[in-house]
Structure formats: C-alpha cells, structure tokens
Coordinates of all heavy atoms in Angstrom, one line a residue:
M13 N -4.5 45.4 -9.6 CA -5.4 44.3 -9.7 C -4.7 43.0 -10.2 O -5.0 41.9 -9.7 CB -6.6 44.7 -10.7 CG -7.6 43.6 -10.8 SD -8.6 43.5 -9.3 CE -9.8 42.4 -9.9
N14 N -3.8 43.2 -11.2 CA -3.1 42.0 -11.7 C -2.2 41.4 -10.6 O -2.0 40.2 -10.6 CB -2.2 42.4 -12.9 CG -3.1 42.6 -14.2 OD1 -4.2 42.0 -14.2 ND2 -2.6 43.4 -15.1
A15 N -1.6 42.2 -9.8 CA -0.8 41.7 -8.7 C -1.6 40.8 -7.7 O -1.1 39.8 -7.3 CB -0.1 42.8 -8.0
A16 N -2.8 41.2 -7.4 CA -3.6 40.5 -6.5 C -4.0 39.1 -7.2 O -4.0 38.1 -6.5 CB -4.9 41.2 -6.1
I17 N -4.3 39.1 -8.4 CA -4.7 37.9 -9.1 C -3.5 37.0 -9.2 O -3.6 35.8 -9.0 CB -5.3 38.2 -10.5 CG1 -6.6 38.9 -10.4 CG2 -5.4 36.9 -11.4 CD1 -7.2 39.4 -11.7
D18 N -2.3 37.6 -9.5 CA -1.1 36.8 -9.6 C -0.8 36.1 -8.2 O -0.4 35.0 -8.2 CB 0.1 37.6 -10.0 CG 0.0 38.0 -11.5 OD1 -0.8 37.4 -12.2 OD2 0.7 39.0 -11.9
A19 N -0.9 36.9 -7.2 CA -0.7 36.4 -5.8 C -1.7 35.3 -5.5 O -1.3 34.2 -4.9 CB -0.8 37.5 -4.8
L20 N -2.9 35.4 -5.9 CA -3.9 34.4 -5.6 C -3.6 33.1 -6.4 O -3.7 32.0 -5.9 CB -5.3 34.9 -6.0 CG -6.5 33.9 -5.8 CD1 -6.6 33.6 -4.3 CD2 -7.8 34.5 -6.3
V21 N -3.2 33.3 -7.7 CA -2.9 32.1 -8.5 C -1.7 31.4 -7.9 O -1.7 30.1 -7.8 CB -2.7 32.5 -9.9 CG1 -2.0 31.4 -10.8 CG2 -4.0 33.0 -10.6
L22 N -0.7 32.1 -7.5 CA 0.5 31.5 -7.0 C 0.2 30.8 -5.6 O 0.7 29.7 -5.4 CB 1.6 32.5 -6.8 CG 2.3 33.0 -8.0 CD1 3.3 34.1 -7.7 CD2 3.0 31.9 -8.8
F23 N -0.6 31.4 -4.8 CA -1.1 30.8 -3.6 C -1.8 29.5 -3.8 O -1.6 28.4 -3.2 CB -1.9 31.7 -2.8 CG -2.4 31.2 -1.5 CD1 -1.5 31.0 -0.4 CD2 -3.7 30.8 -1.3 CE1 -2.0 30.5 0.8 CE2 -4.2 30.3 -0.1 CZ -3.3 30.1 0.9
L24 N -2.7 29.5 -4.8 CA -3.4 28.2 -5.1 C -2.5 27.2 -5.7 O -2.7 26.0 -5.4 CB -4.6 28.6 -6.1 CG -5.7 29.4 -5.6 CD1 -6.7 29.7 -6.7 CD2 -6.4 28.6 -4.4
V25 N -1.6 27.6 -6.5 CA -0.6 26.6 -7.1 C 0.2 26.0 -5.9 O 0.5 24.8 -5.9 CB 0.3 27.2 -8.1 CG1 1.5 26.4 -8.5 CG2 -0.5 27.6 -9.4
L26 N 0.6 26.8 -5.0 CA 1.4 26.3 -3.8 C 0.5 25.3 -3.0 O 1.0 24.3 -2.6 CB 1.8 27.5 -2.9 CG 2.5 27.1 -1.7 CD1 3.9 26.5 -2.0 CD2 2.7 28.3 -0.8
I27 N -0.7 25.7 -2.7 CA -1.6 24.8 -2.0 C -1.8 23.4 -2.7 O -1.7 22.4 -2.1 CB -2.9 25.5 -1.7 CG1 -2.8 26.7 -0.8 CG2 -3.9 24.5 -1.1 CD1 -2.2 26.3 0.6
V28 N -2.1 23.5 -4.0 CA -2.3 22.3 -4.8 C -1.0 21.5 -4.9 O -1.1 20.2 -4.7 CB -2.8 22.6 -6.2 CG1 -2.8 21.4 -7.1 CG2 -4.2 23.2 -6.1
G29 N 0.1 22.1 -5.0 CA 1.4 21.4 -5.1 C 1.7 20.7 -3.8 O 2.1 19.5 -3.7
V30 N 1.5 21.4 -2.7 CA 1.8 20.8 -1.3 C 0.8 19.6 -1.1 O 1.2 18.6 -0.6 CB 1.7 21.8 -0.2 CG1 1.7 21.2 1.1 CG2 2.9 22.8 -0.4
W31 N -0.5 19.8 -1.4 CA -1.5 18.8 -1.3 C -1.1 17.6 -2.1 O -1.1 16.5 -1.5 CB -2.8 19.4 -1.7 CG -4.0 18.4 -1.7 CD1 -4.2 17.4 -2.7 CD2 -5.0 18.3 -0.8 NE1 -5.3 16.7 -2.4 CE2 -5.9 17.2 -1.2 CE3 -5.4 19.0 0.4 CZ2 -7.0 16.9 -0.5 CZ3 -6.5 18.6 1.0 CH2 -7.3 17.6 0.6
T32 N -0.8 17.8 -3.3 CA -0.5 16.6 -4.2 C 0.8 15.9 -3.8 O 0.7 14.7 -3.6 CB -0.3 17.1 -5.7 OG1 -1.5 17.8 -6.1 CG2 0.0 16.0 -6.6
I33 N 1.9 16.6 -3.5 CA 3.1 15.9 -3.2 C 3.0 15.3 -1.7 O 3.4 14.2 -1.5 CB 4.3 16.9 -3.2 CG1 4.5 17.5 -4.6 CG2 5.6 16.3 -2.7 CD1 4.7 16.4 -5.7
G34 N 2.5 16.1 -0.8 CA 2.4 15.6 0.6 C 1.5 14.4 0.7 O 1.9 13.3 1.2
F35 N 0.3 14.5 0.3 CA -0.7 13.4 0.4 C -0.3 12.2 -0.5 O -0.5 11.1 -0.2 CB -2.1 13.8 0.2 CG -2.7 14.6 1.4 CD1 -3.1 15.9 1.2 CD2 -2.8 14.1 2.6 CE1 -3.6 16.7 2.2 CE2 -3.3 14.8 3.7 CZ -3.7 16.1 3.5
G36 N 0.3 12.6 -1.6 CA 0.7 11.5 -2.6 C 1.8 10.7 -2.0 O 1.8 9.4 -2.1
L37 N 2.8 11.3 -1.4 CA 3.9 10.6 -0.8 C 3.5 9.8 0.4 O 3.9 8.6 0.6 CB 5.1 11.5 -0.4 CG 5.8 12.1 -1.6 CD1 6.9 13.1 -1.1 CD2 6.4 11.0 -2.5
L38 N 2.6 10.3 1.2 CA 2.0 9.6 2.3 C 1.2 8.4 1.8 O 1.2 7.3 2.4 CB 1.2 10.5 3.2 CG 1.9 11.5 4.1 CD1 1.0 12.4 4.8 CD2 2.8 10.8 5.1
G39 N 0.5 8.6 0.7 CA -0.3 7.5 0.1 C 0.6 6.4 -0.4 O 0.3 5.2 -0.2
V40 N 1.8 6.7 -0.9 CA 2.7 5.7 -1.4 C 3.2 4.9 -0.1 O 3.3 3.7 -0.2 CB 3.9 6.3 -2.1 CG1 5.1 5.3 -2.3 CG2 3.5 6.9 -3.4
T41 N 3.5 5.6 0.9 CA 4.0 4.9 2.1 C 3.0 4.0 2.7 O 3.3 2.8 3.1 CB 4.4 6.0 3.2 OG1 5.3 6.9 2.6 CG2 5.0 5.4 4.4
I42 N 1.8 4.4 2.8 CA 0.7 3.6 3.4 C 0.4 2.4 2.4 O 0.1 1.3 2.8 CB -0.5 4.4 3.7 CG1 -0.2 5.4 4.8 CG2 -1.7 3.5 4.2 CD1 -1.3 6.4 5.1
A43 N 0.4 2.7 1.1 CA 0.1 1.7 0.1 C 1.0 0.5 0.1 O 0.7 -0.6 -0.2 CB 0.0 2.3 -1.3
H44 N 2.3 0.8 0.5 CA 3.2 -0.3 0.6 C 2.8 -1.4 1.5 O 2.9 -2.6 1.2 CB 4.6 0.2 1.1 CG 5.6 -0.8 1.2 ND1 6.2 -1.4 0.1 CD2 6.2 -1.3 2.3 CE1 7.1 -2.3 0.5 NE2 7.1 -2.3 1.9
S45 N 2.1 -1.1 2.7 CA 1.7 -2.1 3.6 C 0.3 -2.7 3.2 O -0.1 -3.7 3.7 CB 1.6 -1.6 5.0 OG 0.7 -0.5 5.1
S46 N -0.4 -2.0 2.3 CA -1.7 -2.5 2.0 C -1.7 -3.3 0.6 O -2.7 -3.7 0.1 CB -2.7 -1.4 1.8 OG -2.4 -0.5 0.8
R47 N -0.5 -3.5 0.1 CA -0.2 -4.3 -1.0 C -0.9 -3.9 -2.3 O -1.4 -4.7 -3.1 CB -0.6 -5.8 -0.8 CG 0.3 -6.4 0.2 CD 0.2 -7.9 0.2 NE 1.1 -8.4 1.1 CZ 0.9 -9.5 1.8 NH1 -0.2 -10.2 1.7 NH2 1.9 -10.0 2.6
I48 N -1.0 -2.6 -2.5 CA -1.4 -2.0 -3.8 C -0.2 -1.3 -4.3 O 0.7 -1.0 -3.6 CB -2.7 -1.1 -3.7 CG1 -2.4 0.1 -2.9 CG2 -3.8 -1.9 -3.2 CD1 -3.6 1.1 -3.0
G49 N -0.2 -1.0 -5.6 CA 1.0 -0.4 -6.2 C 1.2 1.0 -5.7 O 0.4 1.7 -5.2
A50 N 2.5 1.4 -5.9 CA 2.9 2.8 -5.4 C 2.2 3.9 -6.2 O 1.8 4.9 -5.6 CB 4.4 2.9 -5.6
L51 N 2.0 3.7 -7.5 CA 1.3 4.7 -8.3 C -0.1 4.8 -7.9 O -0.7 5.9 -7.8 CB 1.4 4.3 -9.8 CG 0.8 5.3 -10.8 CD1 1.5 6.7 -10.6 CD2 0.9 4.8 -12.2
S52 N -0.8 3.7 -7.6 CA -2.2 3.7 -7.1 C -2.2 4.5 -5.7 O -3.2 5.2 -5.5 CB -2.7 2.3 -6.9 OG -2.8 1.7 -8.2
G53 N -1.3 4.2 -4.9 CA -1.3 4.9 -3.6 C -1.1 6.3 -3.7 O -1.7 7.1 -3.0
F54 N -0.2 6.7 -4.6 CA 0.1 8.2 -4.8 C -1.2 8.8 -5.4 O -1.6 9.9 -5.0 CB 1.2 8.3 -5.8 CG 1.6 9.8 -6.1 CD1 2.4 10.4 -5.2 CD2 1.0 10.5 -7.1 CE1 2.8 11.8 -5.4 CE2 1.3 11.8 -7.4 CZ 2.2 12.5 -6.5
T55 N -1.8 8.2 -6.3 CA -3.0 8.7 -7.0 C -4.2 8.9 -5.9 O -4.8 9.9 -5.9 CB -3.5 7.9 -8.1 OG1 -2.4 7.7 -9.1 CG2 -4.7 8.5 -8.8
V56 N -4.4 7.9 -5.1 CA -5.5 7.9 -4.1 C -5.1 9.0 -3.1 O -6.0 9.8 -2.7 CB -5.7 6.6 -3.5 CG1 -6.5 6.7 -2.2 CG2 -6.2 5.6 -4.4
G57 N -3.9 9.1 -2.7 CA -3.5 10.1 -1.7 C -3.6 11.5 -2.3 O -4.1 12.4 -1.6
A58 N -3.2 11.7 -3.5 CA -3.2 13.0 -4.1 C -4.6 13.5 -4.5 O -4.9 14.7 -4.3 CB -2.3 13.0 -5.4
V59 N -5.4 12.6 -4.9 CA -6.8 13.0 -5.3 C -7.7 13.2 -4.2 O -8.4 14.2 -4.1 CB -7.3 12.0 -6.4 CG1 -8.8 12.3 -6.6 CG2 -6.5 12.0 -7.6
F60 N -7.7 12.2 -3.2 CA -8.7 12.3 -2.1 C -8.1 12.9 -0.8 O -8.9 13.0 0.1 CB -9.2 10.9 -1.9 CG -10.0 10.3 -3.1 CD1 -9.5 9.3 -3.8 CD2 -11.2 10.9 -3.5 CE1 -10.1 8.8 -4.9 CE2 -11.8 10.4 -4.6 CZ -11.3 9.3 -5.3
G61 N -6.8 13.1 -0.8 CA -6.2 13.7 0.4 C -6.4 12.9 1.6 O -6.1 11.7 1.6
P62 N -6.8 13.5 2.7 CA -6.9 12.8 4.0 C -7.9 11.6 3.9 O -7.7 10.6 4.6 CB -7.3 13.8 5.0 CG -7.7 15.0 4.2 CD -7.2 14.9 2.9
F63 N -8.9 11.8 3.1 CA -9.9 10.7 3.0 C -9.3 9.5 2.3 O -9.5 8.3 2.7 CB -11.2 11.2 2.2 CG -11.9 12.3 2.9 CD1 -11.8 13.6 2.4 CD2 -12.5 12.1 4.1 CE1 -12.4 14.6 3.0 CE2 -13.1 13.2 4.8 CZ -13.1 14.4 4.2
G64 N -8.5 9.7 1.3 CA -7.7 8.7 0.6 C -6.7 8.0 1.5 O -6.6 6.8 1.5
L65 N -6.1 8.8 2.4 CA -5.1 8.2 3.3 C -5.8 7.3 4.4 O -5.4 6.2 4.7 CB -4.3 9.3 4.0 CG -3.4 10.1 3.2 CD1 -2.7 11.2 4.0 CD2 -2.4 9.2 2.4
A66 N -7.0 7.8 4.8 CA -7.8 7.0 5.7 C -8.2 5.7 5.1 O -8.2 4.6 5.7 CB -9.0 7.8 6.2
W67 N -8.6 5.7 3.8 CA -9.0 4.5 3.1 C -7.9 3.5 3.0 O -8.0 2.3 3.2 CB -9.6 4.8 1.8 CG -10.1 3.6 1.0 CD1 -11.2 2.9 1.2 CD2 -9.3 3.0 0.0 NE1 -11.2 1.8 0.3 CE2 -10.1 1.9 -0.5 CE3 -8.1 3.3 -0.7 CZ2 -9.7 1.1 -1.5 CZ3 -7.7 2.5 -1.7 CH2 -8.5 1.4 -2.1
L68 N -6.7 4.1 2.6 CA -5.5 3.2 2.5 C -5.1 2.6 3.8 O -4.7 1.4 3.9 CB -4.3 4.0 1.9 CG -4.4 4.4 0.4 CD1 -3.3 5.4 0.1 CD2 -4.4 3.2 -0.4
W69 N -5.2 3.4 4.9 CA -4.9 2.9 6.2 C -5.8 1.8 6.6 O -5.4 0.8 7.1 CB -4.9 4.0 7.2 CG -4.7 3.6 8.6 CD1 -3.6 3.2 9.2 CD2 -5.8 3.4 9.6 NE1 -3.8 2.8 10.5 CE2 -5.2 2.9 10.8 CE3 -7.1 3.7 9.6 CZ2 -5.9 2.7 11.9 CZ3 -7.8 3.4 10.7 CH2 -7.2 2.9 11.9
W70 N -7.1 2.0 6.3 CA -8.1 1.0 6.7 C -7.9 -0.3 5.9 O -8.0 -1.4 6.4 CB -9.5 1.6 6.4 CG -10.6 0.7 6.9 CD1 -11.3 -0.2 6.2 CD2 -11.0 0.5 8.3 NE1 -12.2 -0.9 7.0 CE2 -12.1 -0.4 8.3 CE3 -10.7 1.1 9.5 CZ2 -12.7 -0.8 9.5 CZ3 -11.3 0.8 10.6 CH2 -12.3 -0.2 10.6
R71 N -7.5 -0.2 4.6 CA -7.3 -1.3 3.8 C -6.0 -2.1 4.3 O -6.0 -3.3 4.3 CB -7.1 -0.9 2.4 CG -6.8 -2.0 1.4 CD -6.6 -1.5 0.0 NE -6.0 -2.5 -0.8 CZ -6.7 -3.2 -1.7 NH1 -8.0 -3.0 -1.8 NH2 -6.1 -4.1 -2.4
S72 N -5.0 -1.3 4.7 CA -3.8 -2.0 5.3 C -4.1 -2.7 6.6 O -3.5 -3.8 6.8 CB -2.7 -1.0 5.4 OG -2.9 -0.1 6.5
R73 N -5.0 -2.2 7.4 CA -5.4 -2.9 8.6 C -6.1 -4.2 8.3 O -5.9 -5.2 8.9 CB -6.3 -2.0 9.5 CG -5.6 -1.0 10.3 CD -6.6 -0.3 11.2 NE -7.1 -1.1 12.2 CZ -8.3 -1.4 12.5 NH1 -9.3 -0.9 11.8 NH2 -8.6 -2.2 13.5
R74 N -7.0 -4.1 7.3 CA -7.7 -5.3 6.9 C -6.8 -6.4 6.4 O -6.9 -7.6 6.7 CB -8.8 -5.0 5.9 CG -9.7 -6.1 5.6 CD -10.8 -5.8 4.6 NE -10.1 -5.6 3.3 CZ -10.6 -4.8 2.4 NH1 -11.6 -4.0 2.6 NH2 -9.9 -4.7 1.2
V75 N -5.8 -6.0 5.5 CA -4.9 -7.0 5.0 C -4.0 -7.6 6.1 O -3.9 -8.8 6.1 CB -4.0 -6.3 3.9 CG1 -2.8 -7.2 3.5 CG2 -4.8 -5.9 2.7
Q76 N -3.5 -6.8 7.0 CA -2.7 -7.4 8.1 C -3.6 -8.2 9.0 O -3.1 -9.3 9.5 CB -2.1 -6.2 8.9 CG -1.0 -5.5 8.1 CD -0.6 -4.2 8.8 OE1 -1.1 -3.8 9.8 NE2 0.4 -3.5 8.2
R77 N -4.8 -7.9 9.3 CA -5.7 -8.6 10.2 C -6.0 -10.0 9.5 O -6.0 -11.0 10.2 CB -7.0 -7.9 10.5 CG -7.8 -8.6 11.5 CD -9.1 -7.8 11.8 NE -9.9 -7.7 10.6 CZ -10.5 -6.6 10.1 NH1 -10.3 -5.5 10.7 NH2 -11.2 -6.6 9.0
D78 N -6.3 -10.0 8.2 CA -6.6 -11.2 7.5 C -5.4 -12.2 7.5 O -5.6 -13.4 7.6 CB -7.0 -10.9 6.1 CG -8.4 -10.2 6.0 OD1 -9.1 -10.2 7.0 OD2 -8.7 -9.7 4.9
E79 N -4.2 -11.6 7.4 CA -3.1 -12.5 7.4 C -2.8 -13.0 8.8 O -2.4 -14.2 9.0 CB -1.8 -11.7 7.0 CG -1.8 -11.4 5.5 CD -0.6 -10.6 5.1 OE1 0.1 -10.2 6.0 OE2 -0.4 -10.4 3.9
A80 N -3.1 -12.2 9.8 CA -2.8 -12.7 11.2 C -3.9 -13.7 11.6 O -3.6 -14.6 12.4 CB -2.8 -11.5 12.1
E81 N -5.1 -13.6 11.2 CA -6.1 -14.5 11.6 C -6.2 -15.8 10.8 O -6.8 -16.7 11.2 CB -7.5 -13.8 11.5 CG -7.7 -12.7 12.5 CD -9.0 -12.0 12.3 OE1 -9.8 -12.4 11.4 OE2 -9.3 -11.1 13.1
A82 N -5.5 -15.9 9.7 CA -5.6 -17.1 8.9 C -4.6 -18.1 9.5 O -3.4 -18.0 9.4 CB -5.2 -16.8 7.4
P83 N -5.2 -19.2 10.1 CA -4.3 -20.2 10.7 C -3.7 -21.1 9.6 O -4.3 -21.3 8.6 CB -5.3 -21.0 11.6 CG -6.6 -20.8 10.9 CD -6.6 -19.4 10.3
R84 N -2.6 -21.5 9.9 CA -1.9 -22.4 8.9 C -2.4 -23.8 9.2 O -2.5 -24.3 10.4 CB -0.4 -22.4 9.1 CG 0.2 -21.1 8.6 CD 1.6 -21.1 8.6 NE 2.1 -22.0 7.5 CZ 3.3 -22.2 7.2 NH1 4.3 -21.6 7.9 NH2 3.7 -23.0 6.2
T85 N -2.7 -24.5 8.2 CA -3.2 -25.9 8.3 C -2.2 -26.8 7.6 O -1.2 -26.4 6.9 CB -4.5 -26.1 7.7 OG1 -4.4 -25.8 6.3 CG2 -5.6 -25.2 8.3
M86 N -2.4 -28.1 7.8 CA -1.5 -29.1 7.1 C -1.6 -29.0 5.6 O -0.7 -29.3 4.9 CB -1.8 -30.5 7.6 CG -1.4 -30.7 9.1 SD 0.3 -30.4 9.5 CE 1.0 -31.8 8.7
D87 N -2.8 -28.6 5.2 CA -3.0 -28.5 3.7 C -2.2 -27.3 3.1 O -1.8 -27.3 1.9 CB -4.4 -28.3 3.4 CG -5.3 -29.5 3.8 OD1 -4.7 -30.6 3.8 OD2 -6.5 -29.3 4.1
D88 N -1.8 -26.3 3.9 CA -1.1 -25.2 3.4 C 0.4 -25.5 3.2 O 1.1 -24.9 2.5 CB -1.1 -24.0 4.4 CG -2.5 -23.4 4.5 OD1 -3.3 -23.6 3.5 OD2 -2.8 -22.8 5.5
L89 N 0.9 -26.5 3.9 CA 2.3 -26.9 3.8 C 2.5 -27.7 2.6 O 1.7 -28.6 2.2 CB 2.7 -27.7 5.1 CG 2.5 -27.0 6.4 CD1 2.8 -28.0 7.5 CD2 3.4 -25.8 6.5
R90 N 3.6 -27.5 2.0 CA 4.0 -28.3 0.8 C 4.6 -29.6 1.2 O 5.3 -29.7 2.2 CB 5.0 -27.5 0.0 CG 4.5 -26.3 -0.7 CD 5.5 -25.7 -1.6 NE 6.8 -25.7 -1.0 CZ 7.9 -25.2 -1.6 NH1 7.8 -24.6 -2.7 NH2 9.1 -25.2 -1.0
P91 N 4.2 -30.7 0.5 CA 4.8 -32.0 0.9 C 6.3 -32.0 0.6 O 6.8 -31.3 -0.4 CB 4.0 -32.9 0.1 CG 3.5 -32.2 -1.1 CD 3.3 -30.8 -0.6
R92 N 7.0 -32.7 1.4 CA 8.5 -32.9 1.1 C 8.7 -33.7 -0.1 O 8.0 -34.6 -0.4 CB 9.1 -33.6 2.3 CG 9.3 -32.8 3.5 CD 10.2 -33.5 4.5 NE 10.3 -32.8 5.7 CZ 11.0 -33.2 6.7 NH1 11.6 -34.4 6.7 NH2 11.2 -32.5 7.8
E93 N 9.7 -33.3 -0.8 CA 10.1 -34.1 -2.0 C 10.8 -35.4 -1.4 O 11.6 -35.3 -0.5 CB 11.0 -33.3 -2.9 CG 10.3 -32.2 -3.5 CD 11.2 -31.4 -4.5 OE1 12.3 -32.0 -4.8 OE2 10.9 -30.3 -4.8
E94 N 10.5 -36.5 -2.1 CA 11.2 -37.7 -1.6 C 12.7 -37.6 -1.9 O 13.1 -37.0 -3.0 CB 10.6 -38.9 -2.4 CG 9.1 -39.1 -2.0 CD 8.6 -40.3 -2.7 OE1 9.4 -41.1 -3.3 OE2 7.3 -40.4 -2.8
S95 N 13.4 -38.1 -1.0 CA 14.9 -38.0 -1.2 C 15.2 -39.0 -2.4 O 14.7 -40.1 -2.4 CB 15.6 -38.4 0.0 OG 15.3 -39.7 0.4
R96 N 16.1 -38.6 -3.2 CA 16.4 -39.4 -4.4 C 17.9 -39.9 -4.2 O 18.7 -39.1 -3.7 CB 16.3 -38.6 -5.7 CG 14.9 -38.2 -5.9 CD 14.8 -37.4 -7.2 NE 13.4 -36.9 -7.4 CZ 13.1 -36.1 -8.4 NH1 14.0 -35.7 -9.2 NH2 11.8 -35.7 -8.5
D97 N 18.1 -41.0 -4.7 CA 19.5 -41.5 -4.7 C 20.2 -40.8 -5.8 O 19.8 -40.8 -7.0 CB 19.4 -43.0 -4.9 CG 20.8 -43.6 -4.9 OD1 21.7 -43.0 -4.3 OD2 21.0 -44.8 -5.3
R98 N 21.3 -40.2 -5.5 CA 22.0 -39.4 -6.4 C 23.0 -40.2 -7.2 O 23.8 -39.7 -8.0 CB 22.7 -38.2 -5.8 CG 21.7 -37.4 -5.0 CD 21.9 -36.0 -5.3 NE 21.1 -35.1 -4.5 CZ 20.0 -34.5 -4.9 NH1 19.7 -34.6 -6.2 NH2 19.3 -33.7 -4.2
G99 N 23.0 -41.5 -7.0 CA 23.9 -42.4 -7.7 C 25.4 -42.4 -7.1 O 26.3 -42.7 -7.8
I100 N 25.5 -41.9 -5.9 CA 26.8 -41.9 -5.3 C 27.0 -43.3 -4.6 O 26.2 -43.6 -3.7 CB 27.0 -40.8 -4.3 CG1 26.7 -39.4 -5.0 CG2 28.3 -40.8 -3.6 CD1 26.7 -38.3 -4.0
S101 N 28.0 -44.0 -5.0 CA 28.3 -45.3 -4.3 C 29.5 -45.1 -3.4 O 30.4 -44.4 -3.6 CB 28.6 -46.3 -5.4 OG 29.7 -45.9 -6.2
M102 N 29.4 -45.9 -2.3 CA 30.5 -45.9 -1.4 C 31.3 -47.1 -1.4 O 31.1 -48.2 -1.6 CB 29.9 -45.7 0.0 CG 29.3 -44.4 0.2 SD 28.9 -44.2 1.9 CE 28.9 -42.5 2.0

C-alpha cells in the first residue's frame, strides 16, 4: 500500500513540476512580447496553464496591433533643437 501511495505522490509531483516549469517558461517567452514582466508571465503561465498562455498571447496581439495602427503625426515628432553657434571662428 505504501508503494502505491509513494508512486502516486511522485507521479503528481512530476506532473505539477512539468506543468509549472513548462507553462511558466512559455509564459515568460510570450510575456516578453506583451510587455509585462518575466515574473508575471511565469506566474500566469504556471498558475493558469494553457488558459494563461492564451491570455498572454491575446494580450501580445493587442499590444502589437495597437502599435501598428497608431499613425505617427507631426505632434509625435520632437522639434529640432536650434543650431547653436559653438564659438568657432574662422
């Protein structure tokens, strides 16, 4: 009986470890493009698994789409600094 319980516990530890490391690392990878921190991406991936990865992926799509659709206007450009005479005489 103890051997069966030990085997079950080890199997559950293996599943939880693979789930945490696998989905956590994938969450870090996806979080990089969605501009949230690596720790947050790992946490979301490890806790929510494939649902967390789907959420991170959806968020990264939204961030990329918002950047692509935002047109640049003249107001976005910084004005040039006026050239200054540096005191060099010829």
Side-chain angles (χ1 to χ4, degrees):
M13 183 71 174
N14 283 337
I17 292 174
D18 289 344
L20 180 64
V21 168
L22 288 175
F23 180 72
L24 291 176
V25 167
L26 178 68
I27 295 298
V28 169
V30 168
W31 174 283
T32 302
I33 299 300
F35 286 119
L37 291 177
L38 288 172
V40 169
T41 304
I42 296 173
H44 178 69
S45 63
S46 65
R47 293 194 175 149
I48 64 172
L51 183 60
S52 297
F54 182 86
T55 304
V56 169
V59 171
F60 298 111
F63 301 109
L65 295 181
W67 180 77
L68 288 171
W69 173 76
W70 187 260
R71 181 180 166 100
S72 70
R73 279 186 72 234
R74 189 180 68 210
V75 168
Q76 292 171 356
R77 186 180 65 228
D78 290 345
E79 287 177 354
E81 291 179 358
R84 291 188 70 177
T85 62
M86 293 302 287
D87 295 334
D88 294 339
L89 301 175
R90 292 187 316 185
R92 285 188 182 181
E93 294 181 16
E94 295 180 17
S95 60
R96 297 180 184 173
D97 184 16
R98 304 228 185 251
I100 300 174
S101 60
M102 294 187 158

